[in-house]
Amino acid sequence: MIQKKYLFLVFSLLPLGLFAQHDKNDAYIPLEKNIDADWVKSLYEKGEQKVYKGAELKWIGMPCGGIGTGQVYITGDGELCFFESVYNQQQQPNAGHGLSTGYQYLYPQERVSKVKSSFSIAIKEEGKDATNYSLTSNDFNAIEFIGEYPLAKLKYEKTDEELPVEIRSEVFSPFVPLNVRSSANPVIVLKYALSNTSDKSVEININGILRNIHFPEKAKVEYRNSTLKSKGVSGISFEMKPLSSDSTLLKHPQLGGFTLSVLDTKAELLTDKDKGITATTTSKEPVTGSVGSSITLKPNQTKEITFLISWYFPNYYENGRRYKIASAEAPGWVGHIYNNWYNNSNDVAKYVAANFDDLYGKTKLFRESYNDNTLPYWLSNRITMPVSTLAAGNVAIWENGRFYAYEGVGFCMGTCGHVYNFVTAISKLFPELERSVRLLQDFNYSTAYSTSGRINFRGYLPNDPNVPHSYASDAQSGYVLKAYREHLMSPNNDFLDSIWEQVKGAIGYHIFKDGAEIGLEPNGVLEGEQTFWDPMWYGPNPYNNTLYLAALRAAEEMAIIQGEPELAARYHAIFKSGQKFMDEKMWNGEFYYHLYPVGFNGNVGVKNGFKLPEEIDDNARSYVKAFNEGRSGYFPGTACDAQQLFGQNWANQLGLGYILSPEKCKKAAKSIFKYNWTPDIATIYDFEKPNARVLAAKGEAAMINGGWSKEKPRSFENTHDKTNVWTGLEYEASCDMINEGLLDEALVSIRSIHDRYDGAKRNPWSEVEGSDHYSRAMHSWNILLAISGFTFDGPAGKLGFAPKLDPKNFKSFFSAAESWGNISQTIEGGTQTQIIELKYGKLRLKQMKFSLNEDLNKTTAQVFIGEKTVQASVKIDNSELIVIFDKEIILQQGQVLKVII
């Protein structure tokens, strides 16, 4: 637990030079954190729904389009901001300020829409003239914003004028977990709720305007503007018609258009100069069209007006940008998944209008189900904020269904293996998309998978081991772990059956790198050259080795499922050897550390950190020579790495149990907070600038990737990116703390992120690393898994949860292979009650597992679905209660399962 005898204010109020007096030879991280105990206590409070207002609105931009369809923001002042990715133009990293600069953190991006659109309201009170207002901060100086992704709520108010109408809006794109068809539509919904607060009737008109983009090659298209009239919807479509059948023109990425519509068949449709549009018209330049809808409100009456903006630009390309060697292998035209569903933007509007009640209802049901929890509100919201990356400009879903993403907006291609090791949210919300990456990228011979089992971690060039991205050790472990994860989030064994041979190759290649490559028997320890994020380094380190151990355990479980027990035993024997080595050789009493080979003398950092095979020969000879002469072989490192328990974190996610000593894991998690978290990043930056980018500002609390606790780093140690601040790593380390019961430390660490992205300083929905909306931050979803202790095995029909936060009164969201809803646990007197409320889909169960309250001295269990008793047997394994159903049960949407212990 954190020492609580010190009194200090919230981190943003800390003096910048508080720790500047430290000598350079001292630790840069203050070991005494001086945190106010009352402030820590407040982090546990439920709190109120966050309403952003005033200065907090400045940088807000919440993605509000369909997942993988291009980036559109709803801003804090009520405007829509369209980015180039909507029409298939690559957004530049850091808004054009270069790769790896961190510019967007210190200087958040100005939000300039690439598509002209706006909404206004005209209010006419009885006996008065109509007054027009722009639905932005230009005319409403007291806008309030509530962002609970995927839905934003705004309230428009004026402090200088009393209006007879209350104006609220909801802005979103349909978002239904487990349903890509409902969630990947190129559309934004703006749903206005208008309430008459006066004692007289009020006439209201809301008018939207939109202008199509300019096609970049003049005179090659004409602009066609036509009316949309369909059941329950009307509007104007702004499309482009090619003037030739040239294939290059027909496949141009900017060929397409928009539709502005409203769920009102009597809407007024106008184009430039107030010309009414009743049929198709053509023009040489894009026109501006307007769609208006009018209502009359009696006193105390509320009505709604719902607008849609839809788009259709089918020609999406993947060209292998940034890497010349990759561009020749890039697939080129890949299209969008929405190409399978629509022919133009009108079709999108028709589909959403025809299915609006269902799409809106399920989107709202997810939002309400997720927020129906006992978590502190700030924490609950922070967990979902990075999930909005799915609707940012670095994410696409190809026409063939393959999920594909850059690490950040415009930054580093390839659904990068070692970055996506951290991404948890997609596998739990849209497991179909993660399976697509395994099937169409990682384990596919035509993309990333080689016959040796080596997997290219950027998805290209699988058969050339000499390219810079041919192998990354951390990614290689992740492919095996993700294969097992996707199996667990499947309803049956079909997925695992389809990739099992490739999975055996992937773990086999890893085992080859474990000693065999230099003539040694595999021992569960990765000892040669390895990736440490981007650079290559040598020697056993906890980051890579815990991932490897977890991968061996996952491979063991998959081998058992596939009916290969002897192979499973071989995996387990290597795992046990590596486990013993880590606990005995890589532990210094406080944390696990890196071992550097005696023969290490390589030139590290060339070729973006990756060396060609012929460049490692000298190191390999030196290492083998030292080994053969009986020397100890290693220098001990002195850094405390924030990711030293990453493999243990994976093991917890997958229900594999401890892969390391539980006692050591708890000490290590405590050391990560002690040696890596600082209440003011100036304690680091006053001595040493971070590598490449600044991602925390002086005066802000943060966790660095690696801390030197007692001495300066030695000459042979890897310092690359160690003083950087990556939110994905902060989330991961916080999960380690939660898993080990260190809730104070975890909440303080996560709150540091939340306070840095507060709206006034920068966008709460865009965590910056290499660029905006960095994918690694989607590890935030694992905070929910760690706090709830949730595990699931779809094919086996097993589900369990063991709440870490207030286990006597806990409720949170859960998702499974075919369903989602709420889980809860209450403990009162001698009774422990577990409840599953299914809100969507179906849940097949054979067995459930819970942590048993230590106060229960006599254990029986009753199981109910609604009022009906379900027959089950009970057994206790250590402190866990296992409920085994006599017959498999299938819980249906709307049903409630209750276990009373």
Side-chain angles (χ1 to χ4, degrees):
M1 300 292 285
I2 294 172
Q3 294 185 19
K4 298 183 177 179
K5 60 183 179 180
Y6 303 97
L7 295 178
F8 241 104
L9 297 178
V10 179
F11 307 134
S12 59
L13 303 181
L14 288 170
L16 295 184
L18 181 64
F19 297 100
Q21 73 275 14
H22 277 235
D23 185 87
K24 276 195 172 186
N25 292 320
D26 290 344
Y28 300 164
I29 299 290
L31 302 185
E32 298 295 345
K33 308 303 182 182
N34 295 343
I35 304 173
D36 177 25
D38 290 335
W39 180 80
V40 174
K41 186 178 179 180
S42 74
L43 299 182
Y44 289 85
E45 296 171 0
K46 179 61 180 177
E48 300 294 325
Q49 184 180 56
K50 174 62 179 177
V51 180
Y52 291 87
K53 58 183 72 174
E56 295 174 324
L57 300 173
K58 182 175 182 179
W59 296 114
I60 282 177
M62 191 180 95
C64 60
I67 63 175
T69 66
Q71 182 171 313
V72 189
Y73 280 168
I74 176 65
T75 67
D77 50 9
E79 296 186 83
L80 290 177
C81 181
F82 289 79
F83 291 79
E84 305 96 307
S85 54
V86 166
Y87 46 87
N88 301 328
Q89 188 172 321
Q90 179 85 351
Q91 290 175 229
Q92 294 303 305
N94 295 296
H97 292 281
L99 292 167
S100 301
T101 64
Y103 187 91
Q104 294 293 80
Y105 184 84
L106 295 177
Y107 308 101
Q109 183 175 358
E110 296 290 340
R111 300 155 306 173
V112 179
S113 182
K114 305 295 182 179
V115 178
K116 180 183 178 182
S117 71
S118 64
F119 289 85
S120 60
I121 186 169
I123 302 173
K124 185 181 184 306
E125 296 181 73
E126 191 176 307
K128 296 183 180 180
D129 292 334
T131 306
N132 288 285
Y133 304 94
S134 166
L135 285 165
T136 70
S137 58
N138 291 333
D139 286 337
F140 292 89
N141 61 1
I143 292 177
E144 295 181 353
F145 185 101
I146 298 170
E148 294 173 350
Y149 187 76
L151 198 148
K153 291 186 174 184
L154 292 92
K155 183 178 181 181
Y156 298 84
E157 292 187 321
K158 296 170 67 68
T159 58
D160 56 351
E161 183 180 354
E162 185 174 348
L163 299 178
V165 178
E166 182 181 84
I167 307 166
R168 297 178 181 269
S169 71
E170 292 179 315
V171 183
F172 65 97
S173 190
F175 185 97
V176 184
L178 307 183
N179 192 328
V180 173
R181 176 65 183 91
S182 296
S183 306
N185 293 286
V187 68
I188 300 159
V189 179
L190 300 100
K191 188 170 181 286
Y192 294 96
L194 308 152
S195 301
N196 185 352
T197 58
S198 73
D199 58 2
K200 296 181 180 180
S201 291
V202 179
E203 296 177 15
I204 293 175
N205 173 273
I206 293 187
N207 192 67
I209 68 168
L210 183 73
R211 184 182 182 89
N212 202 356
I213 64 167
H214 275 91
F215 190 72
E217 299 184 41
K218 288 190 175 183
K220 289 196 174 184
V221 303
E222 68 178 12
Y223 298 91
R224 304 189 63 175
N225 315 297
S226 58
T227 57
L228 162 64
K229 293 285 186 179
S230 188
K231 184 178 180 181
V233 63
S234 58
I236 304 176
S237 175
F238 309 88
E239 301 289 343
M240 302 172 190
K241 179 184 177 182
L243 296 179
S244 78
S245 59
D246 177 69
S247 60
T248 303
L249 177 60
L250 296 178
K251 287 288 189 177
H252 196 287
Q254 274 80 68
L255 185 67
F258 295 85
T259 293
L260 172 64
S261 58
V262 63
L263 302 189
D264 176 5
T265 56
K266 299 179 180 180
E268 183 179 32
L269 311 178
L270 301 171
T271 58
D272 287 0
K273 301 178 183 178
D274 293 335
K275 291 180 181 178
I277 181 168
T278 58
T280 300
T281 63
T282 61
S283 60
K284 293 183 179 180
E285 295 290 325
V287 301
T288 300
S290 72
V291 174
S293 182
S294 299
I295 57 172
T296 299
L297 291 175
K298 297 177 182 179
N300 299 315
Q301 189 176 26
T302 297
K303 291 184 179 180
E304 295 176 344
I305 300 176
T306 300
F307 285 85
L308 311 175
I309 296 180
S310 53
W311 58 94
Y312 182 80
F313 291 89
N315 298 320
Y316 180 69
Y317 288 78
E318 173 44 46
N319 293 322
R321 301 174 186 89
R322 184 180 176 191
Y323 299 100
K324 291 182 180 179
I325 197 168
S327 60
E329 303 292 329
W333 189 97
V334 292
H336 288 287
I337 194 171
Y338 63 64
N339 298 0
N340 299 301
W341 311 328
Y342 308 117
N343 292 311
N344 52 51
S345 59
N346 261 355
D347 287 351
V348 183
K350 291 176 185 176
Y351 170 80
V352 175
N355 297 278
F356 184 78
D357 289 344
D358 182 65
L359 293 170
Y360 173 61
K362 287 176 180 173
T363 300
K364 193 165 73 167
L365 178 64
F366 164 65
R367 175 183 163 274
E368 291 172 348
S369 298
Y370 175 79
N371 286 285
D372 183 13
N373 62 54
T374 56
L375 276 60
Y377 180 83
W378 70 267
L379 177 64
S380 175
N381 214 21
R382 174 49 54 196
I383 287 170
T384 60
M385 284 171 163
V387 178
S388 66
T389 299
L390 288 171
N394 49 325
V395 169
I397 308 172
W398 295 358
E399 188 178 85
N400 66 358
R402 176 179 171 183
F403 178 88
Y404 187 89
Y406 282 61
E407 294 180 28
V409 170
F411 182 90
C412 291
M413 65 178 202
T415 323
C416 173
H418 63 178
V419 169
Y420 268 76
N421 276 355
F422 290 85
V423 174
T424 308
I426 305 170
S427 67
K428 304 306 176 186
L429 296 174
F430 298 100
E432 169 189 342
L433 296 182
E434 283 288 4
R435 287 194 293 268
S436 80
V437 184
R438 311 288 86 79
L439 293 169
L440 299 174
Q441 177 171 316
D442 300 345
F443 296 112
N444 192 306
Y445 286 96
S446 65
T447 49
Y449 191 83
S450 71
T451 55
S452 67
R454 172 180 46 78
I455 300 176
N456 181 303
F457 77 90
R458 290 205 185 277
Y460 295 137
L461 310 171
N463 297 315
D464 185 355
N466 294 310
V467 300
H469 304 113
S470 64
Y471 168 73
S473 49
D474 49 356
Q476 191 81 11
S477 294
Y479 297 131
V480 178
L481 293 165
K482 286 178 278 195
Y484 188 46
R485 179 186 68 187
E486 270 61 272
H487 164 72
L488 296 178
M489 280 297 286
S490 299
N492 52 49
N493 287 345
D494 290 352
F495 167 75
L496 182 58
D497 291 345
S498 70
I499 62 168
W500 174 233
E501 290 304 314
Q502 291 95 312
V503 173
K504 287 195 291 185
I507 190 64
Y509 187 84
H510 230 1
I511 293 170
F512 163 73
K513 299 293 277 189
D514 170 11
E517 187 177 29
I518 54 174
L520 301 177
E521 284 291 330
N523 65 344
V525 184
L526 295 175
E527 296 158 317
E529 189 181 40
Q530 301 158 58
T531 40
F532 210 110
W533 302 314
D534 282 343
M536 302 297 273
W537 223 267
Y538 279 76
N541 62 81
Y543 167 66
N544 271 298
N545 229 66
T546 59
L547 286 171
Y548 178 40
L549 292 181
L552 286 166
R553 279 286 294 114
E556 176 189 349
E557 294 296 326
M558 287 185 278
I560 292 170
I561 294 166
Q562 291 298 114
E564 300 192 43
E566 292 181 0
L567 181 60
R570 291 199 293 275
Y571 292 146
H572 190 76
I574 299 172
F575 161 76
K576 291 298 290 185
S577 173
Q579 180 188 55
K580 182 179 180 182
F581 183 95
M582 281 203 67
D583 276 336
E584 292 182 358
K585 305 291 186 182
M586 296 174 64
W587 178 254
N588 68 2
E590 288 188 283
F591 53 82
Y592 293 97
Y593 58 92
H594 194 151
L595 292 174
Y596 293 87
V598 170
F600 175 73
N601 57 8
N603 177 22
V604 180
V606 298
K607 299 184 184 300
N608 192 32
F610 298 89
K611 299 197 281 118
L612 302 183
E614 59 267 24
E615 294 176 293
I616 70 171
D617 285 353
D618 286 342
N619 284 344
R621 281 191 289 269
S622 298
Y623 178 74
V624 174
K625 185 174 184 294
F627 178 86
N628 291 339
E629 292 175 355
R631 286 188 268 154
S632 61
Y634 295 113
F635 294 124
T638 58
C640 180
D641 286 321
Q643 300 313 289
Q644 63 187 272
L645 296 178
F646 192 22
Q648 182 60 64
N649 186 343
W650 263 103
N652 290 331
Q653 290 181 52
L654 302 178
L656 297 173
Y658 274 99
I659 60 172
L660 298 168
S661 156
E663 180 185 357
K664 289 183 173 67
C665 285
K666 185 162 188 173
K667 288 182 179 178
K670 196 161 192 164
S671 294
I672 291 169
F673 185 82
K674 181 178 181 181
Y675 295 127
N676 295 69
W677 185 86
T678 177
D680 182 357
I681 197 64
T683 65
I684 294 292
Y685 290 175
D686 280 352
F687 293 106
E688 183 176 355
K689 291 183 179 179
N691 177 68
R693 60 192 80 107
V694 175
L695 298 170
K698 290 186 177 182
E700 294 177 339
M703 178 179 292
I704 59 171
N705 299 345
W708 272 263
S709 55
K710 298 181 173 69
E711 56 185 294
K712 295 175 69 175
R714 299 179 184 179
S715 59
F716 55 81
E717 291 195 79
N718 172 15
T719 60
H720 183 90
D721 280 330
K722 291 297 179 72
T723 56
N724 275 349
V725 175
W726 297 348
T727 63
L729 270 64
E730 291 178 284
Y731 287 128
E732 194 287 318
S734 298
C735 286
D736 297 334
M737 297 171 200
I738 293 169
N739 289 331
E740 302 309 323
L742 304 173
L743 286 171
D744 280 9
E745 291 86 341
L747 293 187
V748 167
S749 298
I750 302 166
R751 184 59 187 237
S752 303
I753 303 169
H754 196 64
D755 288 346
R756 298 199 304 268
Y757 291 89
D758 67 348
K761 292 189 289 187
R762 51 195 66 89
N763 186 0
W765 284 271
S766 177
E767 293 176 27
V768 181
E769 192 181 311
S771 186
D772 293 287
H773 295 285
Y774 203 80
S775 298
R776 199 191 316 262
M778 284 190 276
H779 192 82
S780 64
W781 195 263
N782 199 39
I783 297 292
L784 183 68
L785 302 182
I787 280 180
S788 61
F790 182 81
T791 56
F792 178 74
D793 183 340
K798 297 179 180 180
L799 181 151
F801 56 98
K804 306 289 197 305
L805 182 69
D806 192 7
K808 293 187 176 182
N809 181 32
F810 180 86
K811 187 174 187 179
S812 78
F813 178 85
F814 83 94
S815 57
E818 301 174 285
S819 61
W820 45 262
N822 292 100
I823 52 175
S824 62
Q825 173 177 293
T826 57
I827 300 172
E828 187 173 0
T831 302
Q832 179 173 320
T833 304
Q834 322 284 146
I835 295 176
I836 297 178
E837 302 172 67
L838 208 65
K839 300 297 181 67
Y840 179 93
K842 63 180 181 180
L843 178 61
R844 183 175 60 86
L845 288 176
K846 297 179 181 179
Q847 181 177 302
M848 298 179 71
K849 181 171 65 175
F850 312 108
S851 283
L852 192 60
N853 179 30
E854 59 186 13
D855 294 336
L856 297 178
N857 51 29
K858 180 181 178 183
T859 303
T860 58
Q862 294 176 289
V863 184
F864 301 92
I865 296 179
E867 301 298 322
K868 184 179 179 181
T869 300
V870 177
Q871 297 302 313
S873 59
V874 175
K875 70 176 182 178
I876 297 176
D877 183 8
N878 293 323
S879 59
E880 292 181 329
L881 180 81
I882 300 173
V883 178
I884 304 169
F885 301 113
D886 290 2
K887 295 181 180 179
E888 176 183 279
I889 64 170
I890 299 179
L891 202 63
Q892 301 289 346
Q893 182 172 322
Q895 290 187 312
V896 177
L897 184 149
K898 183 183 292 186
V899 180
I900 302 174
I901 304 167

